[in-house]
Amino acid sequence: MGKVITIKNNKGGVGKSWLTLQLAHIIALILEDKKVLILTSDSQNNILLYANISVPVVSGLEDHVLKGDGDIISLRENLYYIPLIKNNFTKKFREKLRVTIDEFKKEYDYILIDSVPVLNIDQDFVELSDKVVIPTFLDAATTEGITKLMGEIDINKIAAIVPNRYTKTKVEQEWYDDIAKIVDGTDIYLSEPIKQSAVITELIQKGKTILETQSKKAVEFQDIIGEVAGVILREEK
Ligand SMILES: Nc1ncnc2c1ncn2[C@@H]1O[C@H](COP(=O)(O)OP(=O)(O)O)[C@@H](O)[C@H]1O
Ligand SMILES: [Mg+2]
């Protein structure tokens, strides 16, 4: 049975969609013979942009859940994506979501969910998840946001916190130390911060993942995201 991982933060712009794609691609490459699926609760479908896939989005997760069938878009080898048409989750959709996810779990080894906090649907996704990964800024609102999330989500589900778009300021370093203290004594993995980087900006513009470059400058990011992927792949005791 496949594992479900939600990439969650109630803030926009922290890199949820980007990180979801990077993690999914690493997992698909590490586990050559396994299939990885990305779902989203965001009808912007940024994943397609970041993966440089331009296809008309005519059916989506809604169709899978309500009609039992819909488009599945291939992003890379062993890596698939189901878009979302509308951020409009009906009661029926929410009731039937679990059954659909259970079906996907039979076919896909890892299902990563690129979330946005809309209409409590995130709550459903988190409940259906085995693990949650939290990308975050290192700013004033962060510690508060993370502490809040740790109260809302089953703390055992939180696998990793990934500071992103780090600009190496002293204030950010202080927030990093604070988060380190918060997770101390828990099983939560706090990764090294991922810098706000021109290399990443350029790759995003080209529609490439962090693994699709020979640039030596990308190695540190490959290493950090690889570590987080390792945490996702780690089997529970
Ligand atoms: N480490 C990084 N360096 C440079 N740009 C980044 C980095 N991480 C994310 N971005 C860019 O920041 C923006 C927000 O990222 P995105 O994944 O869309 O955030 P979210 O899904 O959380 O709203 C996007 O334009 C993305 O390309
Ligand atoms: Mg997004």
Side-chain angles (χ1 to χ4, degrees), residues 2 18 51 78 85 115-116 169 180 188 205 216:
W18 176 76
N78 298 327
I85 307 294
S115 72
V116 281
T169 64
I188 302 171
Q205 262 159 18
K216 287 205 171 63

Side-chain angles (χ1 to χ4, degrees), residues 121-199:
I121 189 74
D122 258 26
Q123 212 176 302
D124 299 353
F125 280 132
V126 168
E127 261 167 47
L128 292 165
S129 293
D130 299 285
K131 293 181 178 179
V132 175
V133 171
I134 305 175
T136 181
F137 290 129
L138 292 170
D139 63 9
T142 296
T143 318
E144 202 186 318
I146 287 176
T147 314
K148 198 158 169 269
L149 265 181
M150 285 170 72
E152 286 165 9
I153 300 174
D154 173 2
I155 190 157
N156 296 311
K157 284 193 180 182
I158 304 177
I161 296 174
V162 185
N164 186 28
R165 309 188 69 182
Y166 171 54
T167 60
K168 296 202 264 183
T169 64
K170 195 161 175 284
V171 181
E172 285 173 302
Q173 281 160 27
E174 284 167 10
W175 285 119
Y176 187 88
D177 293 342
D178 277 2
I179 300 172
K181 277 183 213 135
I182 294 173
V183 301
D184 190 32
T186 71
D187 284 336
I188 302 171
Y189 173 74
L190 173 62
S191 80
E192 288 292 312
I194 300 171
K195 281 183 229 147
Q196 171 73 33
S197 147
V199 177

Side-chain angles (χ1 to χ4, degrees), residues 11-19 46 50 114 164-165 194-197 200-201 204:
K11 273 196 156 189
V14 296
K16 292 183 292 295
S17 303
W18 176 76
L19 184 66
N46 290 141
Y50 298 161
D114 170 27
N164 186 28
R165 309 188 69 182
I194 300 171
K195 281 183 229 147
Q196 171 73 33
S197 147
I200 293 176
T201 306
I204 293 169

Side-chain angles (χ1 to χ4, degrees), residues 3 9 11 14 18 21 24 53 65 71 102 105 133 210 213:
K3 295 261 183 267
N9 189 314
K11 273 196 156 189
V14 296
W18 176 76
L21 177 64
I53 302 289
V65 173
D71 284 356
D102 282 344
K105 279 161 93 171
V133 171
I210 199 76
T213 173

Side-chain angles (χ1 to χ4, degrees), residues 39 53 59 95 142 190 203 221 233 236:
L39 303 178
I53 302 289
S59 89
E95 280 165 10
T142 296
L190 173 62
L203 284 169
F221 308 123
L233 296 177
E236 301 309 320

